[in-house]
Amino acid sequence: MSKYQHIKQAAYEANMQLPKLGLVLFTFGNVSAADRDLGVFAIKPSGVPYEDLSPEKMVIVDFEGVTIEGDLRPSSDTQTHAVLYKHWPNIGGIVHTHSTYGTAWAQSQRCIPIFGTTHADHLTADIPCAPPMDDKMIEGDYEYQTGFQIMDHFAAEGLDYNEVEMVLVGNHAPFTWGKTPHKAVYNSAVLEAVAQMAYLTEQINDQAPRLKDSLIKKHFERKHGPNSYYGQ
Amino acid sequence: MSKYQHIKQAAYEANMQLPKLGLVLFTFGNVSAADRDLGVFAIKPSGVPYEDLSPEKMVIVDFEGVTIEGDLRPSSDTQTHAVLYKHWPNIGGIVHTHSTYGTAWAQSQRCIPIFGTTHADHLTADIPCAPPMDDKMIEGDYEYQTGFQIMDHFAAEGLDYNEVEMVLVGNHAPFTWGKTPHKAVYNSAVLEAVAQMAYLTEQINDQAPRLKDSLIKKHFERKHGPNSYYGQ
Amino acid sequence: MSKYQHIKQAAYEANMQLPKLGLVLFTFGNVSAADRDLGVFAIKPSGVPYEDLSPEKMVIVDFEGVTIEGDLRPSSDTQTHAVLYKHWPNIGGIVHTHSTYGTAWAQSQRCIPIFGTTHADHLTADIPCAPPMDDKMIEGDYEYQTGFQIMDHFAAEGLDYNEVEMVLVGNHAPFTWGKTPHKAVYNSAVLEAVAQMAYLTEQINDQAPRLKDSLIKKHFERKHGPNSYYGQ
Amino acid sequence: MSKYQHIKQAAYEANMQLPKLGLVLFTFGNVSAADRDLGVFAIKPSGVPYEDLSPEKMVIVDFEGVTIEGDLRPSSDTQTHAVLYKHWPNIGGIVHTHSTYGTAWAQSQRCIPIFGTTHADHLTADIPCAPPMDDKMIEGDYEYQTGFQIMDHFAAEGLDYNEVEMVLVGNHAPFTWGKTPHKAVYNSAVLEAVAQMAYLTEQINDQAPRLKDSLIKKHFERKHGPNSYYGQ
């Protein structure tokens, strides 16, 4: 048995959550699961339908993006995953989808404004939208550069990837992450729900104000602060 | 067997209706079931996924918000439930969700206008939207104050909780209630359906008029008046 | 066995199609099935959940609206059905729902414009929207008057109920009919699909033109003209 | 056994994908599967519900539109399929649906702008919208002319059917094709997803720019260029 079996299993299970949660059509998404001690991650093979997946088909890749184990070609977004794992040491799982509402906001090249407590329960900032890459980056190693585009945007906006576990890549689609692949998938579903609510909020009231700071702070601390009292 | 078994069972069954009716993602909702003779209610434990729930996991809390029985921490919204049970003596069940359309209206900080008979079959007023709390209330015991925010708004608007069994809390999400937890869940689903229809109505005709008084009166009396003739 | 068993069975089966087609929430809809020789129709009992229905629970009513057989109270919309059966001799089934998009158009008090061939395959006119009743009619026998409101609108607009098998009642919701209850249910689903498409069409292009006459004529004749060539 | 059994089976399986993917209501769609050596295609019979289909019920038609084998009348859109097979030699399957968002764009008589990489992964152009036919074409052999309307539009716009495997017919609905019926069905689902995202994109930002050329090129080449690296 592969010494990577545990992350293959974790990546498999997390990938299978995507169609169940309505976040992917066909193969338009992928999840990876990292083992930081081993310095590798398991990721979905490219273009394989979810119903044909198995833990054995997951591909093992290191943080430089080099395939270590596996018969299949890894997801075309693998270099983006590798870059984020390499530079953001607390991440254990990454998800990429083309979920409907999240992708629509990304195509609109707008951040998702924080309009309510559903959003604030998860992050205190607008969901950031990294601008499309410049042409030089696109012509280079595109997926590799996508990782830097995300990181550069977080640096420029003063965002902490430990607090803001999601991003829209302009003209493209969402990426989310977390301490575990399960948490990263959870964040993808939250992003999609918040994206739909924010869209509807603006349709219902085009002057809808952002959530006020005191409520942002309160709701986030309910779940995440030192005195958090949500969950068990 | 616990002497609270009947409300644990009722709360469990009502909670399990929420995902079935498409009203919750993950754990974003909760139902409680009260026994007025015993002066307590059973409520969902905090942050526990619906598929892991059982009647035994429900937490028993009194109307002051003090936990009476149960190994798990009760829903983070428990104090809101307690306040409403304490002050509104005819309520037997309360539901809180972040359902998509209801939450979008709450985030828009608008009441849901009464546009048709689907709405009027259930209440004769717009679905009220309580304004966001002031910062002092937020910094205090937030969920406890949410209960008062709802009651204050009903008092200010001259609304009767026996007639209007639902409210939006501005920037947050809907709460509904009823004589039984089953009725409270029913009201949550009605609110969501009415919220979607009202959104679409304004998109189709931004001059759509509110329902006229004679129709409001007629439809409500079909189901609720002394000469009601809906149902068995 | 009741001599009305065949229409009880037909009404039961047609009613059960409504939740399956996503056209009703809870009990917000009803179907009836007529036997013109016997001069009666079978209709859903009022307020009974679909999962509790059985053919035996259907109520038999004559075209004057008088209950002939059945232990339960018939649908609160029974008088509307009775009026339409009495005056429109070719109808064998009637459906009333509060389906989401159809109801939104009814609440908007607008006809649904004929924008494409999906619509024209079924009728050559806009889907009519009868205006809300005047207060005197509402205060009278409301459901009985609803039937006349529909018929009066068809007369005023020069519409033929054999060609246009559906209507929106302003501020209320859709009614559809057909030679059989099955066809009436089919028409309810068509109305809902067309209503959603028309809504989206106007959102995408607020100057979208109505379908031109030559295409209306062609598509309708494909399915309904003397030289029809759709179906077997 | 029919010598056409293989394409009957292929057409059957592809047709059954349409309701599964949520692309059709009732019988509002059809798929055909061609055998270029035999010079024929198998197509859904007209007006037969999907649940009643079987491979044996598929109708065999040649590229002149003449029925070769089968007891049932072929789809009313058969002549459109025949024209496209006859003139576009690389096509092995064709799909026609009235899917909700694709049809709404067709009714709006607008091309679907290329707003993001979901679109660019499949084609580098806007999804074209052929204008409604002139009255003379409509009055003639309508479905036959629909095929020419599509081809004429591709010629006028300089589009290559090998690169752009989908079209909206103005006021009508989408057609898609591909080397296989399976690929044609895949394209129908992609079109519907892209149509919904493009609609939402414009709602969220009515100034949303089209995808820039460098990104269009990059994403398309990932899947389709000589150095493609998507899939296995």
Side-chain angles (χ1 to χ4, degrees):
Chain A
M1 205 172 84
S2 162
K3 67 176 170 177
Y4 307 119
Q5 189 61 28
H6 60 299
I7 51 173
K8 287 184 176 181
Q9 182 70 31
Y12 168 73
E13 288 176 9
N15 270 292
M16 294 308 285
Q17 286 297 308
L18 296 188
K20 224 171 156 178
L21 287 163
L23 298 172
V24 294
L25 174 69
F26 299 128
T27 61
F28 304 176
N30 46 73
V31 188
S32 65
D35 182 316
R36 295 237 157 235
D37 293 330
L38 297 172
V40 298
F41 59 97
I43 191 165
K44 184 177 170 298
S46 181
V48 176
Y50 287 94
E51 59 270 29
D52 298 339
L53 284 188
S54 65
E56 288 64 39
K57 288 185 180 154
M58 298 296 131
V59 185
I60 302 297
V61 180
D62 72 16
F63 296 170
E64 303 302 324
V66 179
T67 297
I68 301 295
E69 185 179 295
D71 299 327
L72 299 168
R73 191 190 293 186
S75 166
S76 56
D77 299 295
T78 295
Q79 299 305 320
T80 309
H81 291 241
V83 168
L84 296 180
Y85 282 126
K86 181 169 176 184
H87 293 87
W88 287 351
N90 299 334
I91 294 178
I94 298 173
V95 176
H96 174 51
T97 77
H98 288 229
S99 64
T100 306
Y101 291 90
T103 303
W105 280 94
Q107 293 188 158
S108 305
Q109 299 188 24
R110 292 185 55 200
C111 300
I112 302 179
I114 182 167
F115 280 129
T117 62
T118 320
H119 188 134
D121 280 339
H122 298 92
L123 70 166
T124 58
D126 293 351
I127 298 174
C129 183
M133 277 176 252
D134 63 36
D135 288 0
K136 207 170 159 183
M137 287 171 86
I138 292 168
E139 282 161 27
D141 190 341
Y142 173 59
E143 290 78 13
Y144 184 74
Q145 296 296 348
T146 298
F148 286 100
Q149 187 72 2
I150 292 171
M151 289 196 303
D152 291 353
H153 188 66
F154 268 58
E157 299 288 317
L159 297 169
D160 177 351
Y161 77 90
N162 292 293
E163 297 296 334
V164 176
E165 298 183 321
M166 53 188 74
V167 72
L168 307 173
V169 175
N171 279 144
H172 188 165
F175 285 82
T176 65
W177 50 85
K179 286 201 197 317
T180 64
H182 180 78
K183 180 69 193 308
V185 170
Y186 172 90
N187 285 335
S188 279
V190 167
L191 183 150
E192 182 66 2
V194 167
Q196 183 178 8
M197 287 176 184
Y199 154 70
L200 291 169
T201 300
E202 293 192 344
Q203 296 285 318
I204 293 169
N205 180 0
D206 60 11
Q207 303 297 317
R210 287 176 83 251
L211 192 62
K212 58 183 182 173
D213 287 344
S214 53
L215 265 172
I216 292 176
K217 193 162 158 277
K218 186 70 187 187
H219 265 262
F220 194 72
E221 287 177 355
R222 289 208 323 172
K223 283 203 173 173
H224 300 280
N227 301 314
S228 74
Y229 52 97
Y230 184 89
Q232 299 301 327
Chain B
M1 203 173 83
S2 162
K3 67 175 169 178
Y4 306 119
Q5 189 61 29
H6 60 299
I7 50 173
K8 288 183 175 181
Q9 182 69 31
Y12 167 73
E13 288 175 9
N15 270 291
M16 294 308 285
Q17 286 299 306
L18 296 188
K20 225 171 154 176
L21 286 163
L23 298 172
V24 293
L25 173 69
F26 299 128
T27 60
F28 305 177
N30 46 73
V31 189
S32 64
D35 183 315
R36 294 237 156 236
D37 294 330
L38 297 173
V40 299
F41 60 96
I43 191 164
K44 186 178 170 298
S46 182
V48 176
Y50 286 94
E51 60 269 29
D52 297 340
L53 284 188
S54 65
E56 288 65 40
K57 288 184 180 154
M58 298 296 130
V59 186
I60 302 297
V61 180
D62 72 16
F63 295 170
E64 302 302 324
V66 178
T67 296
I68 302 295
E69 184 180 295
D71 299 327
L72 299 168
R73 190 189 292 188
S75 166
S76 56
D77 300 295
T78 295
Q79 299 305 321
T80 310
H81 291 241
V83 168
L84 295 180
Y85 281 126
K86 181 170 178 184
H87 293 87
W88 287 353
N90 298 335
I91 294 178
I94 298 174
V95 176
H96 173 52
T97 77
H98 287 229
S99 65
T100 305
Y101 290 90
T103 303
W105 280 94
Q107 293 189 157
S108 305
Q109 299 188 23
R110 292 185 55 200
C111 300
I112 301 178
I114 182 167
F115 279 131
T117 61
T118 320
H119 187 134
D121 279 339
H122 297 93
L123 70 166
T124 58
D126 293 351
I127 298 174
C129 183
M133 277 176 253
D134 64 37
D135 288 359
K136 208 171 158 181
M137 287 173 84
I138 292 169
E139 282 160 29
D141 189 341
Y142 173 59
E143 290 79 12
Y144 184 72
Q145 297 295 349
T146 299
F148 286 101
Q149 186 74 1
I150 293 171
M151 288 195 304
D152 291 352
H153 187 66
F154 267 59
E157 299 287 318
L159 296 169
D160 177 351
Y161 77 90
N162 293 293
E163 296 296 334
V164 176
E165 297 183 322
M166 52 188 77
V167 72
L168 307 173
V169 176
N171 279 143
H172 188 164
F175 285 82
T176 65
W177 51 85
K179 287 203 196 317
T180 64
H182 180 78
K183 182 69 192 311
V185 170
Y186 173 90
N187 285 335
S188 278
V190 167
L191 182 151
E192 182 66 2
V194 167
Q196 183 178 10
M197 287 176 184
Y199 153 69
L200 291 169
T201 300
E202 293 192 345
Q203 296 285 318
I204 293 169
N205 181 359
D206 60 11
Q207 303 297 318
R210 288 175 83 251
L211 192 62
K212 57 183 183 173
D213 287 343
S214 54
L215 266 172
I216 293 176
K217 194 161 157 276
K218 186 70 188 185
H219 265 262
F220 193 71
E221 287 177 354
R222 290 208 323 173
K223 282 203 173 173
H224 299 280
N227 301 313
S228 73
Y229 51 97
Y230 184 89
Q232 300 300 326
Chain C
M1 205 171 82
S2 162
K3 67 175 169 177
Y4 306 118
Q5 189 60 29
H6 60 297
I7 50 173
K8 287 184 175 181
Q9 182 69 31
Y12 168 72
E13 289 175 9
N15 270 290
M16 294 308 284
Q17 286 298 307
L18 296 188
K20 223 170 156 178
L21 287 163
L23 298 172
V24 293
L25 173 69
F26 299 128
T27 60
F28 305 177
N30 46 73
V31 189
S32 65
D35 183 316
R36 294 237 156 235
D37 294 330
L38 297 172
V40 299
F41 60 96
I43 191 164
K44 185 178 171 296
S46 182
V48 176
Y50 285 93
E51 58 268 30
D52 297 340
L53 284 188
S54 66
E56 287 64 40
K57 288 185 180 155
M58 298 296 130
V59 185
I60 302 297
V61 180
D62 71 16
F63 295 170
E64 303 302 324
V66 178
T67 297
I68 301 296
E69 185 180 295
D71 299 328
L72 298 168
R73 191 189 292 187
S75 166
S76 56
D77 299 296
T78 295
Q79 299 304 321
T80 309
H81 291 240
V83 168
L84 296 180
Y85 281 126
K86 182 171 178 184
H87 293 86
W88 287 352
N90 298 334
I91 294 178
I94 298 173
V95 176
H96 174 51
T97 77
H98 287 228
S99 64
T100 306
Y101 290 89
T103 303
W105 280 94
Q107 293 188 158
S108 306
Q109 299 188 24
R110 291 185 56 201
C111 300
I112 301 179
I114 182 167
F115 279 131
T117 61
T118 321
H119 188 134
D121 279 339
H122 298 92
L123 70 165
T124 58
D126 293 351
I127 297 174
C129 183
M133 275 176 254
D134 63 37
D135 289 359
K136 207 169 159 181
M137 287 172 85
I138 292 169
E139 282 160 29
D141 188 341
Y142 173 59
E143 290 79 12
Y144 185 72
Q145 296 295 349
T146 298
F148 286 101
Q149 185 73 0
I150 292 170
M151 288 195 305
D152 291 353
H153 188 66
F154 267 58
E157 299 287 317
L159 297 169
D160 177 350
Y161 77 91
N162 292 293
E163 296 295 333
V164 176
E165 298 183 321
M166 52 188 75
V167 72
L168 307 173
V169 176
N171 280 143
H172 187 163
F175 285 83
T176 65
W177 50 86
K179 286 203 197 316
T180 64
H182 180 78
K183 181 69 192 309
V185 170
Y186 173 90
N187 285 336
S188 279
V190 167
L191 182 151
E192 182 66 1
V194 167
Q196 183 178 9
M197 286 176 185
Y199 153 70
L200 291 169
T201 300
E202 293 192 343
Q203 296 284 318
I204 292 169
N205 181 359
D206 60 11
Q207 302 297 318
R210 288 176 82 251
L211 192 61
K212 59 182 181 175
D213 287 343
S214 54
L215 265 172
I216 292 176
K217 194 161 157 278
K218 187 70 187 187
H219 265 262
F220 194 71
E221 287 177 354
R222 289 209 323 174
K223 282 202 175 173
H224 300 279
N227 301 314
S228 74
Y229 51 98
Y230 184 90
Q232 301 300 327
Chain D
M1 205 172 84
S2 163
K3 67 176 170 178
Y4 307 119
Q5 189 60 30
H6 60 298
I7 50 174
K8 287 184 177 181
Q9 182 69 32
Y12 168 73
E13 288 176 10
N15 270 290
M16 295 308 286
Q17 286 298 307
L18 296 188
K20 223 170 157 177
L21 287 164
L23 298 173
V24 293
L25 173 69
F26 299 128
T27 61
F28 305 177
N30 46 73
V31 188
S32 64
D35 183 316
R36 294 237 156 236
D37 293 331
L38 297 173
V40 299
F41 59 96
I43 191 164
K44 185 177 171 296
S46 182
V48 176
Y50 287 93
E51 59 269 30
D52 297 340
L53 284 188
S54 66
E56 288 65 39
K57 286 184 182 156
M58 297 297 131
V59 185
I60 302 296
V61 180
D62 72 17
F63 296 170
E64 304 301 324
V66 179
T67 297
I68 301 296
E69 185 180 294
D71 299 327
L72 299 168
R73 192 189 291 187
S75 166
S76 56
D77 299 296
T78 295
Q79 299 306 320
T80 310
H81 291 240
V83 168
L84 296 181
Y85 281 126
K86 181 170 176 182
H87 293 86
W88 287 353
N90 299 334
I91 294 178
I94 298 173
V95 176
H96 173 52
T97 76
H98 287 228
S99 64
T100 305
Y101 290 90
T103 303
W105 280 93
Q107 293 189 158
S108 306
Q109 300 188 24
R110 291 184 57 201
C111 300
I112 302 179
I114 182 166
F115 280 131
T117 61
T118 320
H119 187 134
D121 280 339
H122 298 93
L123 70 166
T124 58
D126 294 351
I127 298 174
C129 183
M133 275 177 254
D134 64 38
D135 289 359
K136 207 170 158 182
M137 287 172 85
I138 293 168
E139 283 160 29
D141 189 341
Y142 172 59
E143 289 79 12
Y144 185 73
Q145 297 296 349
T146 298
F148 286 101
Q149 186 73 2
I150 292 170
M151 288 196 305
D152 290 353
H153 188 66
F154 268 58
E157 299 287 317
L159 297 170
D160 178 350
Y161 77 90
N162 292 292
E163 296 295 333
V164 176
E165 297 183 322
M166 51 188 76
V167 71
L168 307 173
V169 176
N171 279 144
H172 188 163
F175 285 83
T176 65
W177 50 85
K179 284 200 197 320
T180 64
H182 180 79
K183 181 68 193 309
V185 169
Y186 173 90
N187 285 335
S188 279
V190 166
L191 182 151
E192 182 65 2
V194 167
Q196 183 178 8
M197 287 177 184
Y199 153 70
L200 292 169
T201 300
E202 292 192 344
Q203 296 285 318
I204 292 169
N205 181 359
D206 60 11
Q207 303 297 317
R210 287 176 82 251
L211 192 62
K212 58 184 181 175
D213 287 343
S214 54
L215 266 171
I216 293 176
K217 194 161 156 279
K218 186 70 186 187
H219 265 262
F220 194 71
E221 288 177 353
R222 290 209 322 175
K223 282 204 174 172
H224 300 280
N227 302 314
S228 72
Y229 51 97
Y230 185 90
Q232 301 300 327

